[in-house]
C-alpha cells in the first residue's frame, strides 16, 4: 500500500490540493503507525466534478456491463482480503481471525449478493399505459464509519455501481487503510475514471463539504445519530436525498420459556463481539424478574470467558476499542452505571489486569438495571451489557420500545408463534428471532433516531435510484 498521503480521483491517485496529514493510531499500542492525507473543500470539488463528468456515460451502461464490473471488483477483492483484514486489525483493533472471517468476509458477501440482485432487478415496469422507471439518482456522497469499515463501504459502493451512479467516498479517518486498499481494488478492477472517487478526511470538513455540495444528489451516511443530524441539516440546503444508518440501543427479550443457559450465553457473547462496537448489538437484555439471579450467574460466566488480548493471538476473543475517545466514553458510562445503582456482575472500570497499554476494556455486565439509567439510555459502543428485569411480556415490550433508537431488536423463545407476536410489536427495523444466521438480502436500517432508508440487497438498490413515470408510454 503506497497511497496513504493521496486521494483517489478520476481514476488516478492524486496529491491533495490542500495538503495536511493526520496520524493513524494503532489502538493496541496507542501509538501512531502511519499518516494519511486530510482533504478539504477543494479536494471535494475536484472529486465531485470527476463524478459529475462520468455520470452521463456510466448511467447509460447496460445491466450486463455493470454485472461484469461487479464481478471484476469481486475478483480483485478476493485477492486482497487478507491485506484488508491485516489493515483492519492494525487500525481498529479487530483480532486477526475475526478481521478475516467476519469483517473482510462481509465485502465478499455484499458483492456476491448485489451481483445476484442486479441480474433480476426490475428497472422498468408498465402499469396500464404508464412506464414506471427506476434510474440512477446521480452523484452520491458516501460517508462510512470505523466500526465495520469495509462492510459499510461495500454495502454502499456496490449498489451505487449496480444502479449506475457515480460516487465520492469519505471513509473514516480513524480506520482509513482498508478504504485505501478498497480503492486499489476498484482501480485494478477497471472501474471507469470518475465513477468511483475517494477523498480522505475529517467529517467536519470533508463530510460537511460533501453534504452541502450542489452537485451531489444523495448522501448515504453511517455513523452516530449526532453526526447524522448534521449531515441531514447541511444536505437540506440543496434538497438532496439523505439515507442514514445511525445509532442503536437494541433490546434482547428472553421470554420465560427459553433455555436460559443457551440464550443468555449467546446474548452476552454476541453483544461483546467486535468489542461491543456494533450499532445493532443487543445491549439491553430483558429477563423475567423471578429468573434474574439465574441469569446473572450465566451472564457472569459468559463475560468471564471472553478473552481480551493481543489481536494476533488466536485465543483472543476481542481486542481493544478503537480509540482513546471511545475508551474514555466507555469508562465514563461504566462509572455512571455504578454511581446510579446498577449491580456490577462482571468486569468494571479500567483495563483487564494483564494489559497495561492499549484501549482494552473489561467485559462488563450490569444487572438490576432500570430503563431510566444512563447505561440503558445511551449507546455505549463497548463490551458492556445491561440486564433489565421485567414483570410480564407486556412490560418487556413496553421497556424495549422505550428508547429513541429503533435499529434492531432480538426475541428468544422456542414458541415460534409467541416470538412472532412479540417481534411484531418491536419498533425496530430489524428483529432477530432466536439468534438466526444473518441475511444480506434482508433490508438493514432503523426506525426513529436510528435513521431512514435501507441498505443491503434489493433495498439498497432501491435507495440509489430515482423513480420516473412516463405517462402515455403505451398506446391506449
Amino acid at each position: 500500500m503506497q497511497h496513504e498521503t493521496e486521494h483517489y480521483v478520476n481514476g488516478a491517485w492524486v496529491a491533495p490540493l490542500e495538503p495536511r496529514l493526520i496520524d493513524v493510531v494503532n489502538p493496541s499500542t496507542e501509538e501512531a503507525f502511519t499518516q494519511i492525507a486530510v482533504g478539504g473543500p477543494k479536494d471535494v470539488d475536484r472529486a465531485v466534478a470527476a463524478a459529475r463528468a462520468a455520470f452521463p456515460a456510466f448511467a447509460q451502461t447496460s445491466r450486463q456491463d455493470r454485472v461484469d464490473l461487479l464481478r471484476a471488483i469481486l475478483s480483485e477483492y478476493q485477492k486482497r482480503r487478507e491485506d484488508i483484514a491485516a489493515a483492519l486489525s492494525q487500525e481498529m483493533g479487530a483480532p486477526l481471525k475475526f478481521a478475516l472471517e467476519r469483517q473482510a468476509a462481509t465485502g465478499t458477501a455484499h458483492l456476491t449478493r448485489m451481483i445476484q440482485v442486479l441480474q433480476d432487478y426490475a428497472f422498468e415496469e408498465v402499469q396500464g399505459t404508464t412506464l414506471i422507471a427506476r434510474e440512477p439518482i446521480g452523484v452520491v456522497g458516501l460517508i462510512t464509519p470505523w466500526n465495520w469499515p469495509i462492510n459499510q463501504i461495500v454495502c454502499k459502493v456496490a449498489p451505487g455501481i449496480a444502479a449506475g451512479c457515480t460516487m465520492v467516498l469519505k471513509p473514516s479517518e480513524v480506520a482509513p487503510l482498508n478504504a485505501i486498499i478498497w480503492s486499489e481494488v476498484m482501480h485494478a478492477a477497471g472501474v471507469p475514471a470518475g465513477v468511483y472517487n475517494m477523498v480522505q478526511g475529517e467529517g467536519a470538513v470533508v463530510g460537511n463539504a460533501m453534504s452541502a455540495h450542489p452537485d451531489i444528489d444523495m448522501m448515504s451516511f453511517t455513523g452516530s445519530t449526532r453526526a447524522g443530524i448534521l449531515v441531514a441539516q447541511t444536505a437540506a440546503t440543496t434538497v438532496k436525498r439523505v439515507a442514514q444508518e445511525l445509532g442503536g440501543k437494541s433490546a434482547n427479550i428472553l421470554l420465560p420459556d427459553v433455555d436460559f443457559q443457551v440464550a443468555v450465553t449467546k446474548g452476552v457473547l454476541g453483544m461483546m463481539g467486535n468489542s461491543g462496537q456494533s450499532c445493532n448489538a443487543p445491549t439491553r437484555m430483558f429477563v423475567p424478574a423471578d429468573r434474574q439471579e439465574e441469569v446473572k450467574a450465566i451472564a457472569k460466566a459468559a463475560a468471564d470467558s471472553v478473552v481480551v488480548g493481543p489481536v494476533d493471538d488466536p485465543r483472543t476473543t476481542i481486542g481493544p476499542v478503537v480509540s482513546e475517545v471511545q475508551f474514555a466514553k466507555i469508562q465514563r458510562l461504566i462509572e455512571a452505571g455504578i454511581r446510579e445503582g446498577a449491580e456490577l456482575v462482571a468486569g468494571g472500570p479500567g483495563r483487564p489486569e494483564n494489559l497495561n497499554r492499549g484501549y482494552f476494556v473489561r467485559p462488563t455486565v450490569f444487572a438490576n438495571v432500570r430503563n431510566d439509567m444512563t447505561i440503558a439510555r445511551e449507546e455505549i459502543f463497548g463490551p458492556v451489557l445491561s440486564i433489565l428485569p421485567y414483570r410480564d411480556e407486556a412490560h418487556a415490550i413496553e421497556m424495549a420500545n422505550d428508547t429513541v433508537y429503533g435499529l434492531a431488536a432480538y426475541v428468544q423463545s422456542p414458541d415460534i408463534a409467541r416470538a412472532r407476536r412479540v417481534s411484531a410489536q418491536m419498533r425496530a427495523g430489524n428483529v432477530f428471532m432466536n439468534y438466526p444466521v444473518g441475511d444480506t438480502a434482508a433490508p438493514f436500517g432503523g426506525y426513529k433516531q436510528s435513521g431512514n432508508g435501507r441498505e443491503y440487497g434489493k433495498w439498497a438498490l432501491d435507495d440509489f435510484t430515482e423513480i420516473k413515470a412516463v405517462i402515455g408510454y403505451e398506446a391506449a
Side-chain angles (χ1 to χ4, degrees), residues 72 76 81 89 107 112 141 145 173 210 273 300 320 325 332 350 357 397 416 460 475:
E76 293 298 327
R81 262 180 69 170
S89 189
T112 301
E173 68 275 22
M210 289 168 60
K300 175 175 171 50
V325 170
R332 174 180 63 80
R357 186 176 65 163
I397 293 168
I416 296 301

Side-chain angles (χ1 to χ4, degrees), residues 102-156:
R102 295 288 304 280
Q103 291 265 4
T106 60
T108 301
H110 286 303
L111 286 165
T112 301
R113 178 69 67 184
M114 191 49 59
I115 290 167
Q116 295 169 350
V117 168
L118 179 55
Q119 288 173 324
D120 299 317
Y121 188 78
F123 285 100
E124 295 182 349
E125 62 175 305
V126 175
Q127 296 183 3
T129 62
T130 299
L131 174 72
I132 311 297
R134 283 191 171 272
E135 300 180 345
I137 195 168
V139 176
V140 295
L142 314 174
I143 301 178
T144 55
W146 48 258
N147 62 319
W148 285 89
I150 198 66
N151 175 77
Q152 290 304 129
I153 290 171
V154 181
C155 80
K156 295 180 191 298

